[in-house]
């Protein structure tokens, strides 16, 4: 399910329709008649990596207020997933914090993908402080190697001791994505690496989101995966395949694979 604020414009209604077509419960969406839907333009390099340019001046999502939250919808969730961009400005920052508190108080698992986008923040330091300001409340955190270097001010993202410094007593799972190489995982009891699927990258847009969707879909079915390393590794193999298949196609949402396609890709990779 989705809780958000978009503009009462063609882009906002287009997003709502795309979500509906993809069977996403969007009853938490709100439409603001006084602001436009945010836009992000993605430029692709020859290797499929991307650069972003954003238009939000201010956009509707920045204006979401606490009073507009559907807290009952949030409290009914199994997992509440969020990023850090909503922490940049008020009133959205206060709405974000209120939403996570409502979810936490209701026993909902909190999942955090900082999704660093430096051009949107006033400064690098404000981004670091903002991202870390809610770090300790999350149960599950997914970060990239670049984000580890950024948050630790240049420390080695491949050093387990460095990554462990980003863990806190409330964390159930910390995930580090490594692109085509797969991912690393860290819990209180164990840590390790799960290899990724090798594919020819066309467009990496959405790969991280696909990975997160993959692991959260597995955890939503059975949270006990967090206590069993073998089963967690299988779930992360699924998540890695979700990310890998996404980079084979252009676009973000259109490139997201079906569950059947993911299992088929895993089967063929094993074969």
């Amino acid at each position: 399910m989705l809780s958000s604020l978009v503009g009462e414009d063609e882009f906002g209604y287009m997003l709502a329709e795309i979500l509906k077509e993809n069977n996403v419960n969007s009853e938490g969406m709100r439409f603001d008649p006084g602001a436009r839907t945010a836009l992000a333009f993605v430029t692709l390099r020859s290797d499929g990596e991307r650069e972003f340019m954003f238009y939000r001046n201010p956009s509707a999502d920045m204006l979401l207020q606490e009073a507009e939250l559907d807290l009952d919808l949030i409290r009914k969730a199994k997992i509440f997933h969020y990023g850090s961009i909503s922490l940049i400005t008020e009133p959205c920052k206060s709405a974000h914090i209120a939403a996570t508190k409502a979810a936490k108080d209701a026993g909902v698992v909190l999942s955090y993908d900082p999704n660093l986008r430096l051009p949107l923040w006033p400064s690098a330091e404000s981004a670091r402080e903002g991202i870390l300001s809610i770090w300790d409340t999350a149960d599950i955190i997914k970060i990239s190697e670049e984000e580890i270097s950024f948050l630790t001010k240049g420390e080695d993202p491949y050093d387990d001791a460095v990554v462990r410094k980003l863990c806190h007593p409330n964390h159930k799972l910390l995930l580090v994505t490594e692109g085509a190489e797969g991912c690393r995982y860290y819990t209180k009891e164990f840590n390790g690496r799960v290899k990724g699927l090798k594919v020819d990258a066309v467009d990496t847009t959405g790969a991280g989101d696909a990975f997160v969707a993959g692991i959260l879909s597995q955890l939503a079915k059975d949270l006990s995966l967090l206590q069993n390393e073998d089963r967690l590794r299988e779930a992360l193999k699924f998540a890695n395949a979700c990310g890998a298949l996404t980079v084979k196609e252009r676009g973000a949402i259109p490139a997201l694979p079906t569950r059947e396609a993911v299992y088929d890709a895993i089967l063929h990779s094993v074969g």
Side-chain angles (χ1 to χ4, degrees), residues 154-167:
E155 293 192 50
D156 183 1
Y158 301 100
D159 186 338
D160 285 345
V162 170
V163 179
R164 283 287 184 189
K165 287 195 291 187
L166 289 172
C167 295

Side-chain angles (χ1 to χ4, degrees), residues 109-214:
V109 172
L110 300 187
S111 169
Y112 183 26
D113 177 0
N115 205 20
L116 177 64
R117 296 288 181 262
L118 265 181
L120 295 178
W121 292 85
S123 67
E125 192 53 41
S126 67
R128 191 177 292 109
E129 290 176 4
I131 287 170
L132 293 175
S133 69
I134 60 167
W135 196 261
D136 292 358
T137 61
D139 299 296
I140 300 166
I141 292 182
K142 172 261 174 189
I143 47 176
S144 68
E145 300 152 290
E146 294 81 7
E147 286 163 347
I148 293 173
S149 295
F150 176 76
L151 294 173
T152 60
K153 298 185 178 180
E155 293 192 50
D156 183 1
Y158 301 100
D159 186 338
D160 285 345
V162 170
V163 179
R164 283 287 184 189
K165 287 195 291 187
L166 289 172
C167 295
H168 65 76
N170 296 327
H171 281 161
K172 293 182 172 67
L173 178 64
L174 180 70
L175 296 168
V176 181
T177 52
E178 299 182 330
E181 298 305 312
C183 68
R184 280 177 279 158
Y185 58 91
Y186 299 81
T187 73
K188 293 183 181 70
E189 290 78 27
F190 45 75
N191 66 275
R193 174 181 271 106
V194 178
K195 290 182 179 180
L197 293 183
K198 300 298 182 183
V199 297
D200 293 325
V202 174
D203 179 1
T204 61
T205 309
D209 293 328
F211 172 87
V212 171

Side-chain angles (χ1 to χ4, degrees), residues 36-64:
R36 297 292 191 184
T37 302
L39 297 179
F41 290 88
V42 185
T43 304
L44 291 181
R45 302 198 312 239
S46 59
D47 61 356
E49 285 297 330
R50 67 273 191 265
E51 296 174 349
F52 295 89
M53 182 170 22
F54 299 93
Y55 286 82
R56 319 167 74 220
N57 189 33
S59 54
D61 59 296
M62 299 166 69
L63 305 176
L64 180 67

Side-chain angles (χ1 to χ4, degrees), residues 201-256:
V202 174
D203 179 1
T204 61
T205 309
D209 293 328
F211 172 87
V212 171
I215 188 59
L216 293 187
S217 69
Q218 301 297 295
L219 290 170
K221 291 190 294 183
D222 186 2
L223 281 170
S224 70
L225 291 174
L226 295 170
Q227 283 79 49
N228 186 306
E229 186 171 10
D230 289 340
R231 294 174 62 217
L232 177 62
R233 289 180 63 86
E234 286 300 312
L236 289 171
K237 187 186 296 182
F238 179 90
N240 281 342
C242 288
L245 292 180
T246 300
V247 308
K248 293 176 65 177
E249 308 279 347
R250 286 190 179 275
I253 294 175
L256 292 172

Side-chain angles (χ1 to χ4, degrees), residues 23-45:
N23 300 313
V24 177
N25 181 340
S26 59
E27 63 183 272
M29 285 186 74
R30 301 287 181 268
F31 296 86
D32 188 334
R36 297 292 191 184
T37 302
L39 297 179
F41 290 88
V42 185
T43 304
L44 291 181
R45 302 198 312 239

